[in-house]
């Protein structure tokens, strides 16, 4: 559950400057560090470098934004293409509205966060307005951060004041007309933004309300998992019903029967957020980064609170009925599955839970939009390792081994075999996903 490009303009455009607080207690800064990790700030604002196991955070440039004068270039050749895309895009995002670059959040006075006071910083997170009156775009998730309590915001500020100052000016955003005129954000805010602190539900317990605060505010899960309208604002009537993000599909987090979390227990959610896998699914792509850099570092109590809140969320939008795929497509998909997938996932799709995810009843696999399943088959996948789950597993890419139609057929098969039900996949959908990979699209959603 990470900060997404929705109306593409950037945290880079958001100059959230901050002065190092002289009297901040170590406990306040420590809490701020926890919240920064929780909110996934590093995923957007810390450059990545290649390590022995793939891309990793550049600890010498923590929170320094997109590297100065570094363009978004084609990714280096890696065994797993989504890792290459992560390195290539670094801290920049591209989309239908243009391209934007992550801001420098370090205490450097000239290029980072070195000149703001508490109120400046609080206004930026609470109202989406910078120190100089600049109105931010909702690529910076202030519609969620507005719900943060002031003590939590100031704790974040305290921690940011302790990181090493890095002199770095990210490139200016490149937005298409008319979105390059910030004055439009006044109208956007009037229509779609509801500022205000999180209000606990008095009919719920403390743990439920803690989970609601974390999901809705600090973790801003809806920024990826709620569909957007024509203006890039979240559709209030379809909360957590899944959304397309940069060529991936962030799946439903509500209680939908097939493609939501109805079949997951609270323990399943806890295990997934802490380790990146459970008996039903694995995290890959950018959700793997969320687990590695954020949720795996959360306290047991907070992960449990989030799970309790998510499990109490009813379906916000009905699941569409899935028509049976053409028999010929299912037959060809089964043939391909038996030739390429059966060794790991077994004939009955049961796989090896927590190593090779099971396919029957897989909620992510049955999402209305097949993009994530297509990307995983095209790109392959590597199971992340965490202290809770140190063993690894991998799936090879099939982009060069199968045609668009073959990938469409096998994806359709696994989405409809063993009692699953989901719309059939077309060769055109696969071709579109291939083009996104070739163009170096960033990865931003849950994997399988």
């Amino acid at each position: 559950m990470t900060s997404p490009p929705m109306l593409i303009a950037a945290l880079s455009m958001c100059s959230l400057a901050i002065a190092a607080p002289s009297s901040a207690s170590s406990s306040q800064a420590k809490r701020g560090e926890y919240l920064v990790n929780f909110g996934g700030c590093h995923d957007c604002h810390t450059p990545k470098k290649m390590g022995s196991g793939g891309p990793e955070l550049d600890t010498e440039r923590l929170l320094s934004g997109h590297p100065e004068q570094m363009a978004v270039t084609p990714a280096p050749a890696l065994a797993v293409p989504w890792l290459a895309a992560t390195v290539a895009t670094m801290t920049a995002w591209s989309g239908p509205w243009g391209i934007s670059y992550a801001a420098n959040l370090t205490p450097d006075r000239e290029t980072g966060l070195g000149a703001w006071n508490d109120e400046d910083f609080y206004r930026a997170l609470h109202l989406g307005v910078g120190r100089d009156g600049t109105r931010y775009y909702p690529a910076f998730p202030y519609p969620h951060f507005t719900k943060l309590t002031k003590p939590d915001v100031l704790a974040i500020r305290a921690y940011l004041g302790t990181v090493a100052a890095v002199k770095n000016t990210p490139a200016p955003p490149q937005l298409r007309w008319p979105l390059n005129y910030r004055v439009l954000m006044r109208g956007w805010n009037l229509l779609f933004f509801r500022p205000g602190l999180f209000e606990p539900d008095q009919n719920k317990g403390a743990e439920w309300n803690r989970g609601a605060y974390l999901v809705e505010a600090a973790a801003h899960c809806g920024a990826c998992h709620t569909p957007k309208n024509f203006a890039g604002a979240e559709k209030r009537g379809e909360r957590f019903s899944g959304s397309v993000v940069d060529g991936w599909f962030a799946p439903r987090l509500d209680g939908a029967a097939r493609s939501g979390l109805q079949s997951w227990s609270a323990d399943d959610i806890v295990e997934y957020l802490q380790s990146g896998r459970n008996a039903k699914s694995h995290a890959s792509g950018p959700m793997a980064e969320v687990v590695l850099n954020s949720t795996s570092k959360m306290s047991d109590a907070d992960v449990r609170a989030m799970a309790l809140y998510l499990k109490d969320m009813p379906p916000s939008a009905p699941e569409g009925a899935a028509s049976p795929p053409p028999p010929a497509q299912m037959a060809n998909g089964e043939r391909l599955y038996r030739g390429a997938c059966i060794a790991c996932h077994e004939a009955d799709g049961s796989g090896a839970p927590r190593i090779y995810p099971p396919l029957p009843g897989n909620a992510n696999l049955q999402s209305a939009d097949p993009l994530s399943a297509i990307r995983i088959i095209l790109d392959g996948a590597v199971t992340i390792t965490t202290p809770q789950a140190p063993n690894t597993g991998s799936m090879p890419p099939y982009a060069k081994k199968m045609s668009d139609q073959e990938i469409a057929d096998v994806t359709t098969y696994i989405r409809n075999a063993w009692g699953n039900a989901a719309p059939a996949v077309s060769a055109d959908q696969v071709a579109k996903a291939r083009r996104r990979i070739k163009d170096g699209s960033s990865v931003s959603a849950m994997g399988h």
Side-chain angles (χ1 to χ4, degrees):
M1 313 174 206
T2 174
S3 302
M6 286 318 0
L7 221 173
I8 307 290
L11 278 173
S12 66
M13 306 185 311
C14 315
S15 142
L16 297 180
I18 178 174
S22 58
S23 60
S25 67
S26 59
S27 61
Q28 184 189 35
K30 191 68 175 177
R31 189 170 88 255
E33 181 180 14
Y34 178 83
L35 291 165
V36 164
N37 288 333
F38 192 108
C41 301
H42 288 293
D43 292 337
C44 291
H45 290 273
T46 296
K48 298 175 180 66
K49 62 181 181 180
M50 284 305 302
S52 57
E56 58 188 34
L57 297 178
D58 185 349
T59 56
E60 295 181 358
R61 299 174 62 85
L62 289 178
L63 300 166
S64 62
H66 188 78
E68 186 174 12
Q69 297 180 342
M70 177 177 285
V72 180
T73 56
L78 295 176
V80 183
W82 73 260
L83 294 178
T86 301
V87 176
T89 54
M90 300 294 285
T91 45
W93 309 280
S94 61
W97 294 282
I99 188 168
S100 57
Y101 303 88
N104 182 350
L105 302 185
T106 75
D108 181 72
R109 292 190 62 85
E110 294 181 16
T111 65
L113 313 183
W116 291 23
N117 59 35
D118 287 354
E119 292 305 314
D120 293 333
F121 190 72
Y122 180 71
R123 184 173 68 158
L125 272 69
H126 186 62
L127 297 177
V129 179
R131 182 170 178 257
D132 61 355
T134 296
R135 294 184 180 274
Y136 301 149
Y137 293 88
F140 171 52
Y142 66 88
H144 292 272
F145 291 161
T146 187
K147 299 175 184 178
L148 291 170
T149 66
K150 193 165 188 177
D152 277 352
V153 172
L154 296 184
I156 292 170
R157 177 180 183 270
Y159 168 67
L160 292 178
T162 68
V163 302
V166 176
K167 189 176 295 296
N168 173 52
T169 303
Q174 302 168 26
L175 300 180
R176 295 180 175 86
W177 183 90
L179 298 176
N180 53 329
Y181 292 100
R182 285 183 183 272
V183 68
L184 293 179
M185 287 311 302
R186 291 182 178 272
W188 194 95
N189 287 337
L190 182 64
L191 291 172
F192 306 118
F193 179 43
R194 301 292 182 269
L197 297 175
F198 171 78
E199 296 183 4
D201 186 337
Q202 300 303 320
N203 296 316
K204 300 291 186 178
E207 185 179 26
W208 186 97
N209 277 298
R210 174 64 175 172
Y213 174 73
L214 297 174
V215 169
E216 301 285 355
H220 54 282
C221 302
C224 280
H225 293 272
T226 295
K228 310 303 182 290
N229 64 18
F230 70 97
E234 295 174 19
K235 296 180 178 179
R236 296 193 183 97
E238 301 179 29
R239 296 174 64 249
F240 299 107
S241 62
S243 182
V244 174
V245 184
D246 277 0
W248 291 73
F249 187 78
R252 299 183 74 134
L253 299 183
D254 61 12
R258 290 199 321 270
S259 57
L261 295 180
Q262 184 183 104
S263 63
W264 290 35
S265 67
D267 288 342
D268 290 332
I269 298 173
V270 169
E271 183 180 3
Y272 183 90
L273 293 176
Q274 289 184 328
S275 70
R277 64 185 90 169
N278 58 24
K280 298 179 180 294
S281 188
H282 287 201
S284 89
M287 190 60 201
E289 289 190 57
V290 171
V291 173
L292 283 172
N293 300 328
S294 301
T295 58
S296 65
K297 299 180 179 181
M298 292 161 54
S299 69
D300 291 344
D302 278 349
V303 176
R304 176 67 58 178
M306 289 182 68
L308 178 66
Y309 176 67
L310 290 172
K311 278 300 296 178
D312 195 43
M313 190 177 298
S316 60
E319 290 182 297
S323 301
Q329 186 175 26
M330 286 292 288
N332 193 46
E334 181 178 11
R335 178 184 64 80
L336 291 164
Y337 177 84
R338 290 184 175 278
C341 313
I342 197 172
C344 296
H345 289 284
E346 305 292 343
D348 61 359
S350 60
R354 299 177 180 83
I355 299 177
Y356 304 116
L359 305 180
N362 188 306
N364 293 347
L365 187 61
Q366 296 179 85
S367 293
D369 195 308
L371 282 175
S372 291
I374 293 171
R375 290 290 296 262
I376 290 169
I377 294 172
L378 285 171
D379 295 352
V382 174
T383 302
I384 61 170
T385 59
T386 62
Q388 296 88 342
N391 59 311
T392 189
S394 63
M395 171 179 161
Y398 287 89
K400 296 182 178 179
K401 298 178 181 179
M402 292 186 183
S403 67
D404 292 346
Q405 187 61 59
E406 288 175 327
I407 289 179
D409 290 350
V410 74
T411 306
T412 296
Y413 174 72
I414 62 177
R415 281 162 56 84
N416 289 276
W418 315 295
N420 291 348
V425 180
S426 70
D428 287 344
Q429 289 174 296
V430 178
K432 185 176 180 180
R434 282 188 194 269
R435 288 194 296 270
R436 285 182 178 273
I437 297 170
K438 184 177 180 180
D439 293 341
S441 297
S442 59
V443 288
S444 311
M446 272 191 183
H448 58 323

